[in-house]
Amino acid sequence: MPEFRTTPGFRDLLPPASTRQRAFVDVFAGLVERAGYDLVVPPMLEDIGVFERLGKATDVVTKEMYDFVDKGDRHVVMRPEQTASLCRAFVEHRPPTPWKVWYAGPNFRYDRPQRGRYRQFDQVDVEVLGTDDPEADVEVISLGWRLYEHLGLRQVTLAVNSLGAGDDKARHLEALTSFLSQHAGDLSTLSRDTLARNPLRVLDSKRPDDAEIVAAAPTIDQFWSDESARHFDAVLAGLRAIRIPFVVQPRLVRGLDYYVRTAFEYVGGTLESAQNALGGGGRYDGLVEALGGPPTPGVGFALGVDRTLLACDDEGVFPPPSRSVDVFVVDTTGGRHATVLADRLRASGWHVERSFDSRSMKSQMKSADRSGAEVAVIIGADEAASGTAVARPLRTDADQSTVELDVLEQHLDSILTTVAPVRDASR
Ligand code: AMP
């Protein structure tokens, strides 16, 4: 047993999982940047006050924060989520609106670790600040949906709801609290505890003991004001216009209590129900103000990277990207020629690998083959003496040829473009 291991809920992400995660973020970035969202990178450490504004009824804030006092006596927290950070950044920098941004990175929650639930986990997010146009809700929801489509996931359901705002939200909460209090004796112990802190979250309970009461509890749709109903109708009409399927789920609430009006969740069909939310989001029209900014509506989502990739595993889609090596330099003269040639060919934009430790020709050729390289460029004593190299195609029957080093690039260009357009287009 090694002396040190990762602490519970924390993981090392090694290849190929790490390269797959990066590929995932690349896909996401491509998708949202095409929709005009720009990257923001907020810090991972924030003043604890930023998250306390999310509401003391939120588990993430009361139970799960990694907070500590730093050496300068500041009470800080490793961010448990990113929307509040982003709103803090908005208030601090006051960018022009609508502010359409995306970000990706880790969050920290002292959660109970299990499959799909970790103490450090990655999310990708988009947020739009400064508009309450329902078309913005539709755009945000569509981006998450298109991502899942792009990944090849088929068993995802989009659940939508409107939590109301202002009066209707308050009246629903009152009716719900009164109903649940009357039936508190029939609720599970955990839900009784939730009822005392955040009655809305009882609707989220997936415990069988609670099913009957939750099914009978008053739902928000009975309380919507005309304004809330209009906004929600417009969102649903927008989703229909771009053919995104959804189910209206009047019991859908979100973990953080600052949501108003639109709330949505992407539910993975293959994951266990306690961890089946791949991502979710909604409107948080009061949050910027709660953090000291001007009244500014906002809508966004956070998608869990880890859970989405677990869903991809379950559905057998989005495998780790395979590395495409162009050239493997085999040097049997000690390795310096490989250093010089690899450096030169990499500068030309090819993916180039080589061996270390002066291994035998046979062993280096084996590595070249295993790397998947298209061509081996071989330098032995004769080639070193005559300023040449042997270029040996590894994936076709084409003959090898001895090439002057001066014209090696042209030669590689001709063989590599005949196998596949492998040379990096961005060079
Ligand atoms: P939330 O910020 O709670 O709305 O979560 C948004 C998404 O982040 C969820 O749907 C999950 O996919 C993911 N997520 C939240 N908490 C965790 C966690 N502890 N471990 C892994 N993923 C998480």
Side-chain angles (χ1 to χ4, degrees):
M1 279 282 262
E3 189 180 352
F4 298 112
R5 308 172 65 97
T6 50
T7 52
F10 289 78
R11 295 158 302 152
D12 292 313
L13 206 56
L14 304 180
S18 49
T19 45
R20 184 188 195 202
Q21 174 149 327
R22 208 184 76 181
F24 173 87
V25 174
D26 286 348
V27 168
F28 181 76
L31 198 81
V32 297
E33 286 182 347
R34 276 199 297 285
Y37 291 71
D38 290 318
L39 175 67
V40 168
V41 186
M44 274 177 229
L45 203 78
E46 293 272 5
D47 189 303
I48 192 163
V50 171
F51 297 102
E52 283 176 343
R53 296 291 158 86
L54 294 177
K56 298 253 186 209
T58 305
D59 273 1
V60 165
V61 174
T62 46
K63 298 193 193 157
E64 298 173 2
M65 288 213 285
Y66 274 89
D67 63 312
F68 59 96
V69 176
D70 75 5
K71 290 183 171 55
D73 266 346
R74 289 174 208 93
H75 194 177
V76 290
V77 53
M78 303 290 287
R79 66 173 182 217
E81 61 105 52
Q82 305 183 54
T83 307
S85 281
L86 181 97
C87 291
R88 193 268 313 137
F90 178 83
V91 174
E92 191 169 332
H93 305 287
R94 296 292 181 88
T97 56
W99 200 38
K100 293 185 21 168
V101 293
W102 73 274
Y103 37 108
N107 302 305
F108 304 85
R109 293 182 192 172
Y110 200 83
D111 224 329
R112 203 158 50 83
Q114 55 206 286
R115 187 176 194 252
R117 194 177 288 279
Y118 315 102
R119 291 181 173 165
Q120 178 182 332
F121 62 95
D122 277 81
Q123 286 181 340
V124 290
D125 296 42
V126 297
E127 314 285 351
V128 184
L129 287 182
T131 170
D132 64 0
D133 188 338
E135 301 304 324
D137 306 33
V138 176
E139 179 170 291
V140 164
I141 297 173
S142 74
L143 290 171
W145 185 261
R146 299 298 177 218
L147 173 74
Y148 293 128
E149 275 182 349
H150 191 103
L151 296 172
L153 286 172
R154 296 183 170 278
Q155 299 184 48
V156 180
T157 307
L158 167 63
V160 288
N161 191 18
S162 170
L163 303 176
D167 271 0
D168 51 355
K169 192 176 178 195
R171 279 188 296 115
H172 172 238
L173 189 60
E174 207 179 298
L176 180 70
T177 311
S178 145
F179 174 89
L180 293 175
S181 306
Q182 281 163 31
H183 296 88
D186 297 328
L187 287 171
S188 63
T189 324
L190 273 172
S191 284
R192 269 203 299 278
D193 177 50
T194 311
L195 171 60
R197 289 179 296 111
N198 188 349
L200 212 53
R201 285 308 299 268
V202 176
L203 293 181
D204 226 8
S205 164
K206 287 162 181 150
R207 288 176 283 279
D209 301 6
D210 299 324
E212 207 175 309
I213 309 286
V214 167
T219 49
I220 177 68
D221 50 344
Q222 301 153 26
F223 294 84
W224 285 331
S225 64
D226 289 350
E227 173 51 31
S228 291
R230 237 193 334 269
H231 187 95
F232 194 45
D233 281 347
V235 172
L236 301 186
L239 292 173
R240 282 188 204 102
I242 51 175
R243 295 181 200 291
I244 292 186
F246 58 84
V247 288
V248 175
Q249 214 174 78
R251 281 179 190 79
L252 173 71
V253 294
R254 301 279 306 136
L256 307 177
D257 39 340
Y258 53 77
Y259 283 101
V260 292
R261 297 200 265 191
T262 314
F264 58 94
E265 212 160 76
Y266 307 98
V267 182
T270 59
L271 300 177
E272 267 186 51
S273 71
Q275 272 80 240
N276 67 356
L278 301 180
R283 278 214 157 264
Y284 44 88
D285 292 349
L287 186 58
V288 170
E289 222 174 332
L291 286 163
T296 308
V299 59
F301 67 56
L303 308 184
V305 177
D306 309 281
R307 259 184 231 177
T308 301
L309 291 176
L310 282 177
C312 289
D313 288 341
D314 291 344
E315 291 200 36
V317 298
F318 199 65
S322 55
R323 179 180 313 179
S324 64
V325 178
D326 302 316
V327 178
F328 197 104
V329 182
V330 172
D331 176 358
T332 59
T333 72
R336 180 62 44 76
H337 286 289
T339 300
V340 173
L341 256 191
D343 180 63
R344 188 174 126 188
L345 297 177
R346 286 169 189 155
S348 294
W350 281 299
H351 183 140
V352 182
E353 296 199 7
R354 46 91 46 96
S355 301
F356 293 109
D357 300 321
S358 301
R359 287 160 46 209
S360 69
M361 168 84 174
K362 192 169 156 205
S363 147
Q364 290 190 52
M365 286 308 296
K366 224 188 234 168
S367 300
D369 195 46
R370 236 185 275 127
S371 76
E374 299 292 342
V375 185
V377 167
I378 306 162
I379 301 204
D382 292 350
E383 289 78 20
S386 60
T388 60
V390 171
R392 182 185 298 175
L394 297 176
R395 315 282 151 204
T396 63
D397 298 338
D399 289 337
Q400 66 178 45
S401 38
T402 300
V403 189
E404 300 280 328
L405 282 185
D406 288 352
V407 293
L408 183 61
E409 277 86 346
Q410 283 103 297
H411 185 76
L412 288 176
D413 237 344
S414 69
I415 33 183
L416 285 169
T417 43
T418 54
V419 254
V422 279
R423 205 167 174 188
D424 184 353
S426 63
R427 90 199 137 99

